[in-house]
Amino acid sequence: MIGTTKRQRRQAWMRSPERMAWRCVFPGESDQVGRARHIVEALFAGTGREDDAGLIVSELATNALVHTRSGKAGGWFGVEVRLPYDGPAYLGVYDLGGSGCPWFGRHQADDEPGMGGRGLAIVRELAVDVSRMGNPATGYTVWVYLDLTAKDAGHAGVAAG
């Protein structure tokens, strides 16, 4: 690596042939969403998709707290990241389940009243693929594949929720 810039060296180390996998459990409290976001942004440092990865985790973790048992007393949510040497990155947020089911359809028209934000629609736009696995009794993992060859999509200014 002699003759490379610090940035090139950092990127080469980040994209080593070994796949990077990381998991963490966070208490089901709203201040933990920002903590999860900052950690994920740090894990994606140098990829050009730091802001997008952080926004995705922030949206999914917020939904876990608002719509599942993860946000109840004693609740928690989990975050998983896999950064491969080649191909899209995987981001997953696990919740404790509840009465609802994550829905990825188109958001209602702007003039229609309704609850909730545009979080999953934003996630869907940023990701190569988005889906869920699990059930209301045991919990869901909402996961995305994020293309690391695309540059930040410019949604960093959108608030979570």
Side-chain angles (χ1 to χ4, degrees):
M1 290 205 188
I2 296 174
T4 60
T5 67
K6 289 181 182 180
R7 181 179 170 95
Q8 289 170 328
R9 201 173 355 199
R10 182 176 66 222
Q11 288 175 336
W13 184 82
M14 284 284 295
R15 307 289 277 163
S16 71
E18 298 84 31
R19 182 178 77 184
M20 189 278 283
W22 174 84
R23 279 184 166 180
C24 190
V25 171
F26 297 89
E29 301 165 5
S30 60
D31 66 328
Q32 296 300 303
V33 172
R35 183 171 171 241
R37 180 180 186 146
H38 292 301
I39 291 171
V40 168
E41 287 171 346
L43 291 171
F44 276 77
T47 66
R49 299 301 303 268
E50 301 90 342
D51 292 338
D52 292 340
L55 178 60
I56 288 168
V57 166
S58 179
E59 292 292 345
L60 298 180
T62 297
N63 285 349
L65 295 181
V66 171
H67 301 293
T68 76
R69 290 187 295 267
S70 291
K72 305 292 184 209
W76 57 273
F77 66 94
V79 177
E80 180 178 19
V81 172
R82 282 185 248 143
L83 283 169
Y85 178 70
D86 192 19
Y90 169 91
L91 292 138
V93 174
Y94 174 78
D95 65 51
L96 298 179
S99 61
C101 176
W103 182 71
F104 303 103
R106 294 264 177 230
H107 193 272
Q108 61 205 14
D110 289 337
D111 58 349
E112 293 180 21
M115 291 182 57
R118 302 189 193 299
L120 288 179
I122 292 168
V123 168
R124 191 180 62 239
E125 292 298 318
L126 292 173
V128 173
D129 195 11
V130 59
S131 191
R132 68 181 178 268
M133 58 187 158
N135 62 63
T138 61
Y140 287 98
T141 298
V142 179
W143 59 266
V144 305
Y145 283 127
L146 183 63
D147 182 4
L148 296 181
T149 61
K151 291 298 175 198
D152 182 60
H155 294 287
V158 179

